[in-house]
Amino acid sequence: NYPELKGKVAVITGSSKGIGRAVAERYAKEGVHVVLNYRSSEDEMNEVIRGIEASGGKAVAVKGDVAEEGLAEKMIEKAVSEFGKMDIFVNNAGVQVEAKTHEMELDNWKKIIDTNLTGTFLGVRAALKYFVEHEIQGNIINMSSVHEVIPRPGYTHYAASKGGVKMFTKSVALEYAPNKIRVNAIAPGAIDTPINEETMQDPEEKKGLEALIPTHEIGRPEQISAVAAWLASDESSYVTGTTIFADGGLSLYPSFGPENK
Ligand code: NAD
């Protein structure tokens, strides 16, 4: 636990399920008041809020699409009106849709880039504006992926978006280091969330995925939210502009591993 997180206020995009939900629940457990976001599933969102409130935490939600200008500002306004301030902004919302590149519809490309990369930009911009104007030494965390470095055939737009998130994170971190605003990314490997539902429900595919991961374990959302808690805490006070990989070794060129000799 990180006692310094108690009473802080965090905004987390795409937090009705998966990793975003786990980050919300972990932050709430640390005593962070959370402003959550969902696009359509109000029931799911309410369930997350009820769960947090039942364990003594404070949570509110704002509906909207991260790709649209204005949502991030609305979430920060909500943080200020409900909890008095905003300290931590987590750009988590992300999507993937499989397509061969030579057949990829422009709409598909745009949806991935608009959500994963432009959505991150819009969140980062709004958070920076708030932090700079209020002279807050805030914290920004962007959900990247191992595909910020591992090529991903069939999802080339996804890999492009996460590669973009990586360099955007580093550049922003450098630009705002003098303001003591920390900006980092997390690169999850294969995590058991709704985004991977199809793979998780197909025993053959699941086995194949486990075989690919050096530790042979598919990750849990809690193993990612633990990194998000550490990055928000003072324990990481000297860490900025980096990506923390939590991937069971997936980014270590597994084909060079001892089992492939
Ligand atoms: P998920 O599909 O389970 O959850 C994604 C959340 O984002 C959902 O709540 C969804 O409604 C929301 N969302 C999607 N598009 C949105 C939009 N335009 N506006 C607002 N909300 C939107 O996925 P997840 O696995 O929890 O993924 C979370 C993040 O982690 C994503 O950025 C994803 O790319 C990244 N990631 C996931 C994995 C994995 O294996 N699960 C691996 C690497 C990176």
Side-chain angles (χ1 to χ4, degrees), residues 167-179 181 183 240-241:
M167 279 314 292
F168 180 58
T169 300
K170 286 186 185 300
S171 304
V172 173
L174 184 55
E175 193 170 332
Y176 292 89
N179 303 72
I181 298 168
V183 190
T240 193

Side-chain angles (χ1 to χ4, degrees), residues 13-21 37-41 44 64-68 71 91-96 111 114-116 143-147 158 161-162 186-196 218 221 224:
T13 65
S15 35
S16 61
K17 56 187 167 200
I19 291 170
R21 174 181 180 160
N37 156 249
Y38 66 104
R39 226 177 356 161
S40 52
S41 45
E44 256 177 336
D65 186 329
V66 294
E68 278 173 20
L71 172 68
N91 289 292
N92 167 76
V95 281
Q96 60 178 37
K111 183 185 159 141
D114 286 358
T115 306
N116 300 3
M143 208 51 74
S144 181
S145 164
V146 285
H147 295 295
Y158 183 83
S161 75
K162 296 300 186 178
I186 301 174
I191 311 300
D192 183 0
T193 71
I195 215 175
N196 293 320
I218 290 168
I224 304 304

Side-chain angles (χ1 to χ4, degrees), residues 29-240:
K29 222 185 255 175
E30 297 283 348
V32 176
H33 306 324
V34 290
V35 178
L36 308 182
N37 156 249
Y38 66 104
R39 226 177 356 161
S40 52
S41 45
E42 194 167 348
D43 291 347
E44 256 177 336
M45 188 78 271
N46 285 334
E47 198 188 306
V48 176
I49 292 176
R50 272 199 301 274
I52 287 173
E53 286 174 347
S55 42
K58 285 189 181 163
V60 292
V62 177
K63 184 179 181 174
D65 186 329
V66 294
E68 278 173 20
E69 210 168 11
L71 172 68
E73 285 78 6
K74 240 198 236 170
M75 292 186 76
I76 295 170
E77 277 163 27
K78 190 82 173 169
V80 172
S81 65
E82 292 284 330
F83 307 125
K85 60 177 177 152
M86 194 273 292
D87 306 288
I88 305 155
F89 199 109
V90 183
N91 289 292
N92 167 76
V95 281
Q96 60 178 37
V97 181
E98 188 171 10
K100 289 236 184 285
T101 309
H102 72 284
E103 291 166 347
M104 190 182 287
E105 304 274 352
L106 180 58
D107 277 352
N108 183 357
W109 169 270
K110 278 188 176 159
K111 183 185 159 141
I112 305 304
I113 299 295
D114 286 358
T115 306
N116 300 3
L117 184 55
T118 307
T120 299
F121 157 68
L122 291 172
V124 166
R125 184 182 67 177
L128 287 172
K129 193 157 198 278
Y130 176 80
F131 292 149
V132 169
E133 276 178 12
H134 296 84
E135 294 182 17
I136 292 173
Q137 297 179 1
N139 207 312
I140 298 174
I141 299 167
N142 298 328
M143 208 51 74
S144 181
S145 164
V146 285
H147 295 295
E148 71 164 48
V149 293
I150 303 177
R152 195 174 187 200
Y155 296 86
T156 54
H157 47 354
Y158 183 83
S161 75
K162 296 300 186 178
V165 167
K166 170 192 168 178
M167 279 314 292
F168 180 58
T169 300
K170 286 186 185 300
S171 304
V172 173
L174 184 55
E175 193 170 332
Y176 292 89
N179 303 72
K180 302 266 197 303
I181 298 168
R182 294 197 294 125
V183 190
N184 290 291
I186 301 174
I191 311 300
D192 183 0
T193 71
I195 215 175
N196 293 320
E197 212 167 358
E198 272 177 41
T199 308
M200 297 306 292
Q201 278 170 3
D202 180 331
E204 279 305 302
E205 262 198 62
K206 190 172 170 225
K207 240 170 92 190
L209 184 57
E210 282 166 348
L212 191 66
I213 303 165
T215 59
H216 301 316
E217 297 161 312
I218 290 168
R220 289 173 284 110
E222 295 72 31
Q223 291 173 309
I224 304 304
S225 60
V227 179
W230 180 76
L231 278 176
S233 81
D234 291 348
E235 291 289 302
S236 63
S237 56
Y238 207 47
V239 178
T240 193

